Amino acid sequence: MSSARVSSFTQALLLASLLLFMTVMSCEAHLTPKYYVKSCPQALSTIRAAVRSAVARERRMAASLIRLHFHDCFVQGCDASLLLKDAEGIVSEQNAAQNFRSARGYEVIDSIKSAVEKVCPGVVSCADILAVAARDSSEYVGGPTWKVKLGRRDSTTAANKDLVQRDLPIAFDNLDELITSFARQGLSIKDMVALSGSHTIGQAQCATFRERIYTEPNIDPGFAAMRKRRCPSSPVLGNSTLAPLDLVTPNSFDNNYYKNLLQKKGLLHSDQVLLSSGPIGDMVKYYSKNQAAFFADFAAAMVKMGDIAPLTGSAGEVRRTCSVIN
């Protein structure tokens, strides 16, 4: 490569880095945990009470609410675009393969929004509710907590289907595909391994792990046999049958997810591939032995994920109802 081309490439790289730095600094300048201290002092306690009530009714809802925040932030940024239903000019992100009949908890977010609107009409965004609900869900089932930066606004558009399907990881992804997916959002390999630990709670549908339990060699035979009992090999039977992502403590947020991977008992292909040779496999082993480190890194990664391309200032809007634009 000529010196001129190297110089041009270096300048382009420096410019891209500068723009990314400015974007991050802009986010940090607008988002703050104290955003609603004066405008809606009851916001956080209202969200917290509603989340605790929902998870108390159905423990699985904790995983569902964390997942909603994840699926929202990975597509078009943390702007609550995922919550928009089909309408004129809007094709809902909920129709994309990774969300269709899989992402859930929308009615809980609607209920939380309704409760918040009663105390502070038109103040708290749906995007912020998603972020706080994820934190409160983690804490309620024994997981880490963290300070949620606030001040996001809601989008007036949904991302197109192709973008959703490109940006959201899927259960069949290989390691390189996962790394690319997270890197696209500015998240590191460490963030990826830590955030994957959220699969310590929740459930998956048979269609997402059928291929793994019937065809993959790196799986504990007894574990595979147990999962086959309720997940038939036929691709037209039992697709929506559920199985816990963590067999041992399915309703508690802990580091058992990583211990399962060491025993070749990861339910999804995209989980088990983390137990690779090299630094990624080393992180899995480390978290399996050190829950405190996992909790700290998970919390830090959630804060980082919450910073992905938020709408702030006068951009977007604060929706009155999360599923439709004003």
Side-chain angles (χ1 to χ4, degrees):
M1 185 180 290
S2 69
S3 59
R5 290 177 65 189
V6 170
S7 176
S8 177
F9 174 78
T10 302
Q11 290 176 4
L13 186 60
L14 287 172
L15 178 59
S17 299
L18 178 61
L19 290 173
L20 178 61
F21 175 76
M22 291 174 63
T23 300
V24 171
M25 292 303 294
S26 176
C27 292
E28 292 181 349
H30 289 92
L31 299 183
T32 168
K34 298 181 179 181
Y35 189 81
Y36 296 114
V37 166
K38 293 183 179 180
S39 60
C40 188
Q42 296 169 272
L44 296 185
S45 60
T46 302
I47 297 171
R48 178 183 175 87
V51 167
R52 293 175 71 88
S53 177
V55 178
R57 288 194 304 271
E58 184 195 7
R59 195 82 170 178
R60 180 189 173 200
M61 188 54 66
S64 299
L65 294 177
I66 293 172
R67 188 168 182 243
L68 282 183
H69 183 42
F70 179 92
H71 279 221
D72 179 49
C73 289
F74 261 57
V75 180
Q76 198 174 276
C78 305
D79 61 358
S81 58
L82 172 61
L83 303 180
L84 290 172
K85 293 182 178 179
D86 287 331
E88 185 177 353
I90 293 176
V91 177
S92 178
E93 294 174 18
Q94 298 172 25
N95 298 322
Q98 292 96 319
N99 294 322
F100 187 65
R101 295 181 180 176
S102 173
R104 59 194 297 275
Y106 302 112
E107 73 287 351
V108 173
I109 298 299
D110 288 341
S111 176
I112 296 171
K113 176 63 171 174
S114 179
V116 173
E117 284 293 298
K118 289 178 181 178
V119 297
C120 303
V123 175
V124 182
S125 70
C126 300
D128 277 347
I129 288 174
L130 283 173
V132 176
R135 187 271 310 275
D136 291 347
S137 294
S138 169
E139 183 182 25
Y140 187 76
V141 293
T145 186
W146 55 91
K147 287 187 177 181
V148 179
K149 291 192 282 185
L150 303 165
R152 302 169 190 81
R153 288 169 62 86
D154 302 322
S155 70
T156 55
T157 61
N160 67 64
K161 185 177 180 180
D162 290 341
L163 183 65
V164 179
Q165 295 186 169
R166 185 200 72 174
D167 285 355
L168 284 178
I170 59 173
F172 316 106
D173 278 346
N174 291 317
L175 191 56
D176 287 345
E177 292 169 320
L178 290 172
I179 292 171
T180 298
S181 180
F182 279 76
R184 188 180 291 124
Q185 307 303 331
L187 297 173
S188 68
I189 288 175
K190 181 180 179 181
D191 298 326
M192 177 188 75
V193 178
L195 289 172
S196 295
S198 64
H199 283 182
T200 186
I201 54 174
Q203 301 186 57
Q205 297 181 16
C206 168
T208 65
F209 60 83
R210 175 183 285 116
E211 185 175 351
R212 169 153 169 75
I213 62 175
Y214 282 99
T215 67
E216 295 188 6
N218 64 334
I219 188 168
D220 178 83
F223 175 70
M226 179 176 59
R227 285 288 157 253
K228 289 176 183 178
R229 292 172 196 161
R230 300 196 62 214
C231 182
S233 58
S234 170
V236 296
L237 297 175
N239 285 335
S240 60
T241 301
L242 297 171
L245 289 161
D246 175 4
L247 177 66
V248 183
T249 54
N251 293 315
S252 297
F253 199 110
D254 54 29
N255 66 335
N256 228 57
Y257 166 82
Y258 301 102
K259 296 177 183 179
N260 292 336
L261 298 186
L262 294 181
Q263 299 171 27
K264 299 182 180 180
K265 294 181 180 179
L267 185 62
L268 305 180
H269 174 82
S270 58
D271 288 330
Q272 194 62 51
V273 294
L274 295 181
L275 187 62
S276 60
S277 59
I280 295 179
D282 290 342
M283 278 186 269
V284 169
K285 295 171 186 174
Y286 179 59
Y287 289 150
S288 76
K289 298 175 182 177
N290 193 327
Q291 180 167 284
F294 161 49
F295 276 20
D297 290 347
F298 179 83
M302 288 294 287
V303 172
K304 190 174 177 181
M305 185 182 77
D307 278 343
I308 298 175
L311 298 174
T312 58
S314 60
E317 64 182 15
V318 175
R319 293 185 212 137
R320 292 186 292 271
T321 301
C322 289
S323 58
V324 298
I325 62 174
N326 293 341

